[in-house]
């Protein structure tokens, strides 16, 4: 009976890990079980797994940005998406990043938010950002 219980626990942990995403490879989905698409019900919680749409930086439930580094062409509108249920923000590390983040649904830094916000980037450069709520939650955007 102990072996059976241990096997069940290992199986449940494996399935839970796979369903939460976990891939850090660009374009990589979470392990197993269809990361994208709309449908399905049940299961709960927190968001942040799976793959972000193109030109989108997603805040994750593990307090990271996914992808941590995004490259776009000049003239692209970038979306920051937070479906985790936890507040995050996007604060540029310097004035150049804040100045480059123009004309989406606002400009410059993105204050504490859930849902999504956009910024348009026309000036080439690499712009670093972070979440002031969660130390170590960092990202960068390169505009070519």
């Amino acid at each position: 009976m102990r072996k059976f219980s241990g096997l069940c626990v290992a199986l449940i942990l494996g399935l839970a890990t796979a369903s939460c995403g976990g891939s850090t490879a660009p374009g990589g989905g979470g392990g197993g079980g269809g990361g994208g698409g709309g449908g399905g019900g049940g299961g709960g919680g927190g968001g942040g797994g799976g793959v972000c749409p193109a030109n989108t930086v997603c805040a994750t439930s593990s307090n990271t940005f996914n992808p941590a580094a995004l490259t776009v062409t000049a003239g692209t509108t970038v979306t920051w998406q937070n479906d985790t249920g936890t507040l995050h923000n996007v604060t540029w590390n310097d004035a150049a990043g804040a100045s480059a983040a123009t004309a989406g649904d606002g400009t410059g830094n993105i204050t504490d938010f859930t849902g999504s916000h956009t910024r348009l980037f026309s000036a080439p450069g690499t712009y670093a950002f972070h979440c002031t709520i969660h130390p170590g939650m960092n990202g960068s955007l390169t505009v070519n």
Side-chain angles (χ1 to χ4, degrees):
M1 189 66 172
R2 275 194 163 159
K3 286 184 181 182
F4 180 73
S5 296
L7 181 60
C8 287
V9 168
L11 181 60
I12 290 169
L13 286 174
L15 289 172
T17 301
S19 70
C20 288
S23 172
T24 57
V51 178
C52 279
N55 301 323
T56 301
V57 177
C58 293
T60 71
S61 56
S62 59
N63 297 333
T64 59
F65 288 113
N66 179 26
L70 178 66
T71 300
V72 300
T73 57
T76 298
T77 297
V78 176
T79 301
W80 276 265
Q81 182 173 312
N82 176 10
D83 296 329
T84 66
T86 300
L87 288 177
H88 294 291
N89 60 50
V90 177
T91 303
W92 299 99
N93 289 8
D94 57 32
S99 296
T102 65
D105 59 6
T107 60
N109 294 334
I110 300 171
T111 58
D112 299 356
F113 76 104
T114 58
S116 64
H117 287 283
T118 60
R119 297 293 186 265
L120 173 66
F121 292 87
S122 299
T126 298
Y127 309 108
F129 56 89
H130 62 281
C131 175
T132 61
I133 302 169
H134 303 103
M137 188 173 179
N138 304 305
S140 68
L141 175 68
T142 300
V143 179
N144 291 324

